[in-house]
Amino acid sequence: RAKEDGRGCHRIFSSAMDETVKVRSSIEDELRAALTTGEGFEVAYQAQVAAAGKSIVGLEALLRWRHPALGTILPEQFIPVAEQTGLIIRLGEWVLHEACSVSQRWPDLFISINLSPIQFRSENFAERVIAIVRASGADPRKIELEVTEGVLLDAGGETANALRKLRRAGFRIALDDFGTGYSSLGYLQKFEVDKIKIDRSFVKNLGQDENATAIVEAIVALGQALNLTVTAEGVETREQGRFLDKAGCDELQGYLFSKALPTEQIALLLAAPPPTSQVQRSGPSSLH
Ligand code: C2E
Ligand code: MG
Ligand code: MG
Ligand code: MG
């Protein structure tokens, strides 16, 4: 009887696997096609605001895939496939080029771009990034590269070298999703970074969960002690915002200020924030 159940399970399991494999390979085919035609990908931008004054100081580039039949597909659904198939290398370079070109509309803001660990393992990665940014005409000092601990995890000399080259070329490095990996503190000692981004799982429970509150305070203190900029991700409520201000966080990002928006919508937000809006534009408005 147990054996029968086991077999039933096995059958269900393998048909679920078949499904997964099918879905994955169709995503792969479509990703490939989209990359060939260049159609369907879009970069959305989310505001990052200074804790003090709430002016917009930066934008994070977040990839979107507008599928003709399925609508907007979020990165969590296709980035893993792009990574497994190596397509992330071309896709990542496309994002870099696109975001750098767009960034020149707002020379007083910095633009953050997410990089996958797979990209770092590709040949001459730092040199290619530098070449793409140079070709787009953007200033590397206005570009922030977001890496996760996954990038640093199996970082042999190659990744460390690439990071060092990029930093020397003027890029800022931000450690994304901080606190969710394995040994963040070791990485902070080993790699030079400019910013840490507190993962939204901690921000979410601020003021409700004592541990989350203590962790956020400790991360801010650590960042200050190491002279790093500290950004909080996933700020959704005024209460969270107030708490983060009080804790000494430098920058805030989250739905409280804006979600990721298409270029033209972010341009509107930057040009003319509605009077009721939380956010204000920093510097002169030179957007058109
Ligand atoms: P991430 O870099 O940590 O980006 C923040 C994610 O949190 C984004 O999700 C953003 O839309 C979402 N978010 C921002 N504020 C809030 C908030 O207040 N509440 C909630 N619930 N969510 C918020 P998104 O755009 O779906 O991206 C997910 C992840 O996909 C990113 O996490 C990043 O790791 C990856 N990703 C996005 N674009 C790229 C890309 O161009 N290249 C690579 N390699 N990865 C990317
Ligand atoms: Mg990010
Ligand atoms: Mg993050
Ligand atoms: Mg994340």
Side-chain angles (χ1 to χ4, degrees), residues 60 114 146 148 175-178 197-200 233 253:
E60 179 171 0
N114 293 282
E146 295 197 2
T148 56
L175 202 43
D176 204 356
D177 304 342
F178 188 79
K197 297 188 80 173
I198 306 175
D199 191 71
R200 76 164 185 265
E233 301 189 290
Q253 180 178 354

Side-chain angles (χ1 to χ4, degrees), residues 60 112-120 125 129 144-153 155 159 162-163 166 171-180 187-188 191-197 233:
E60 179 171 0
S112 308
I113 296 164
N114 293 282
L115 298 177
S116 155
I118 307 294
Q119 291 177 269
F120 271 86
F125 178 61
V129 168
E144 188 168 88
L145 303 172
E146 295 197 2
V147 302
T148 56
E149 285 170 89
V151 168
L152 310 178
L153 191 61
T159 300
L163 281 171
L166 290 167
F171 294 95
R172 281 190 289 177
I173 309 293
L175 202 43
D176 204 356
D177 304 342
F178 188 79
T180 59
Y187 297 134
L188 287 181
F191 300 97
E192 288 188 23
V193 303
D194 303 279
K195 176 185 279 193
I196 47 186
K197 297 188 80 173
E233 301 189 290

Side-chain angles (χ1 to χ4, degrees), residues 89 93 96 115-116 118-134 140 145 157-171 173:
I89 294 173
E93 292 187 349
L96 193 64
L115 298 177
S116 155
I118 307 294
Q119 291 177 269
F120 271 86
R121 284 183 223 143
S122 63
E123 197 120 5
N124 297 325
F125 178 61
E127 286 79 3
R128 289 212 316 280
V129 168
I130 292 166
I132 291 168
V133 173
R134 207 164 273 159
L145 303 172
E158 299 250 329
T159 300
N161 271 340
L163 281 171
R164 210 170 301 119
K165 277 184 203 158
L166 290 167
R167 249 182 134 237
R168 225 183 292 133
F171 294 95
I173 309 293

Side-chain angles (χ1 to χ4, degrees), residues 46 60-64 74-76 79 88 95 114-116 119 146 176-177 200 233-236 254-255:
Q46 185 179 29
E60 179 171 0
L62 293 160
L63 186 57
R64 298 290 179 260
L74 291 172
E76 251 118 47
I79 297 268
I88 191 68
V95 172
N114 293 282
L115 298 177
S116 155
Q119 291 177 269
E146 295 197 2
D176 204 356
D177 304 342
R200 76 164 185 265
E233 301 189 290
V235 185
E236 294 185 356
Y255 297 166

Side-chain angles (χ1 to χ4, degrees), residues 8-119:
C9 275
H10 175 71
R11 218 172 295 130
I12 291 164
F13 182 58
S14 52
S15 80
M17 291 238 306
D18 288 349
E19 264 320 292
T20 309
V21 169
K22 250 184 259 162
V23 169
R24 170 155 309 156
S25 69
S26 80
I27 293 183
E28 181 182 341
D29 290 345
E30 301 211 24
L31 269 178
R32 244 180 244 290
L35 271 170
T36 316
T37 60
E39 268 165 43
F41 293 110
E42 247 177 67
V43 181
Y45 298 89
Q46 185 179 29
Q48 308 188 63
V49 310
K54 305 292 181 286
S55 60
I56 299 176
V57 290
L59 301 173
E60 179 171 0
L62 293 160
L63 186 57
R64 298 290 179 260
W65 184 16
R66 307 226 184 268
H67 189 282
L70 302 173
T72 300
I73 308 178
L74 291 172
E76 251 118 47
Q77 291 164 277
F78 64 89
I79 297 268
V81 180
E83 287 178 329
Q84 281 151 16
T85 54
L87 291 169
I88 191 68
I89 294 173
R90 273 165 63 205
L91 196 50
E93 292 187 349
W94 180 81
V95 172
L96 193 64
H97 176 79
E98 174 68 21
C100 285
S101 310
V102 165
S103 76
Q104 291 170 88
R105 288 173 69 168
W106 303 297
D108 50 343
L109 304 183
F110 66 85
I111 305 277
S112 308
I113 296 164
N114 293 282
L115 298 177
S116 155
I118 307 294
Q119 291 177 269

